[in-house]
């Protein structure tokens, strides 16, 4: 176990997660603003798990937390952290299975990860970049106190179209007083 909340356990991925990961990444609504296309094959999920399962969460680069429901033991989603800038800043991303959206699980998991980074690990800043149409993700970040810092207009060519990117961030000093 790496991190926990009242309802959630945040841990490394393991091979038993691959089918659930492939299932939620295969939902077109989940994949819409993400880097993969739906359907997401089981083989890709197995490779993802094999690549990420043994990474050190404190090293620079991406680490993926698998988010498990305490009461069911089911995989609900994941939170990604990309540490950079000599470990002083991190980018985050998050994905939850449709069946487990709308219950506050993602806010609870992302909030726990951000607290870990800013308070327990002493990072300076955590940031996220979203497709500007991704309203649920924007709402999640605003609920947690992230500041909308910018809109990059038609800045990314993504899945056959130019898209707008919304930038969000929170500083450790802001998190401490929120
Ligand atoms: C982004 C994503 C994780 C957000 O999921 P979500 O279900 O909206 O977020 P939460 O789990 O925190 O749930 C919050 C919602 O549950 C409601 N809710 C119900 N019970 C709740 C509780 N006990 N506590 C908090 N919120 C609760 C909230 O009111 C909120 O609804 P609202 O946004 O309509 O006001 C999800 O939409 C997703 O996986 N999208 C696809 C992947 C993606 O695009 N990721 C972003 C790339 S960075």
């Amino acid at each position: 176990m790496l991190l926990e909340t009242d309802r959630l356990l945040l841990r490394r991925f393991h091979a038993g997660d691959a089918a659930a990961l492939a299932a939620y990444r295969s939902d077109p609504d989940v994949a819409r603003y993400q880097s993969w296309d739906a359907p997401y094959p089981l083989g890709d999920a197995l490779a993802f798990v094999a690549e990420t399962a043994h990474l050190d969460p404190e090293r620079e680069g991406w680490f993926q937390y698998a988010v498990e429901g305490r009461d069911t033991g089911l995989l609900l989603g994941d939170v990604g952290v990309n540490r950079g800038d000599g470990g002083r800043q991190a980018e985050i991303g998050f994905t939850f299975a449709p069946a487990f959206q709308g219950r506050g699980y993602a806010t609870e998991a992302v909030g726990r990860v951000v607290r870990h980074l800013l308070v327990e690990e002493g990072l300076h800043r955590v940031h996220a970049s979203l497709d500007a149409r991704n309203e649920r993700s924007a709402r999640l970040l605003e609920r947690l106190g992230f500041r909308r810092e910018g809109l990059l207009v038609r800045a990314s060519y993504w899945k056959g179209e130019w898209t707008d990117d919304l930038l969000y961030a929170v500083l450790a000093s802001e998190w401490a007083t929120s």
Side-chain angles (χ1 to χ4, degrees):
M1 190 54 45
L2 297 170
L3 300 171
E4 52 191 323
T5 70
D6 288 347
R7 298 186 294 173
L8 307 171
L9 302 174
L10 281 71
R11 55 166 175 75
R12 284 184 171 76
F13 272 93
H14 55 65
D17 295 320
L21 175 70
Y24 67 72
R25 284 195 164 197
S26 290
D27 185 293
D29 288 336
V30 168
R32 184 167 180 212
Y33 303 123
Q34 297 280 36
S35 57
W36 64 85
D37 291 315
Y40 185 81
L42 180 61
D44 288 10
L46 286 164
F48 173 93
V49 167
E51 281 164 21
T52 58
H54 302 293
L55 293 178
D56 174 359
E58 294 182 17
R59 77 185 237 297
E60 285 207 49
W62 281 104
F63 178 81
Q64 298 285 341
Y65 290 94
V67 181
E68 179 181 310
R70 263 184 195 278
D71 51 349
T72 60
L74 295 173
L75 179 69
L76 312 184
D78 55 80
V79 180
V81 176
N82 184 17
R83 292 184 190 227
D85 192 18
R88 290 171 295 211
Q89 303 196 50
E91 177 185 3
I92 54 165
F94 34 81
T95 302
F96 275 68
F100 302 112
Q101 294 183 16
R103 305 192 209 177
Y105 289 136
T107 302
E108 189 170 320
V110 175
R112 181 67 189 90
V113 169
V114 174
R115 178 158 69 89
H116 177 67
L117 293 170
L118 295 180
V119 179
E120 295 158 6
E121 295 273 320
L123 271 67
H124 166 65
R125 176 176 177 267
V126 175
H127 58 102
S129 168
L130 316 172
D131 186 302
R133 296 167 294 183
N134 196 342
E135 293 174 7
R136 296 188 74 163
S137 294
R139 280 209 297 277
L140 183 156
L141 292 166
E142 288 172 11
R143 257 197 304 277
L144 287 173
F146 279 66
R147 183 166 9 85
R148 186 178 289 207
E149 294 198 325
L151 175 69
L152 307 184
V153 178
R154 302 288 182 267
S156 298
Y157 192 73
W158 202 241
K159 301 193 178 184
E161 58 182 338
W162 286 103
T163 62
D164 297 351
D165 295 329
L166 267 180
L167 308 180
Y168 279 91
V170 63
L171 301 174
S173 55
E174 296 168 325
W175 188 266
T177 58
S178 68

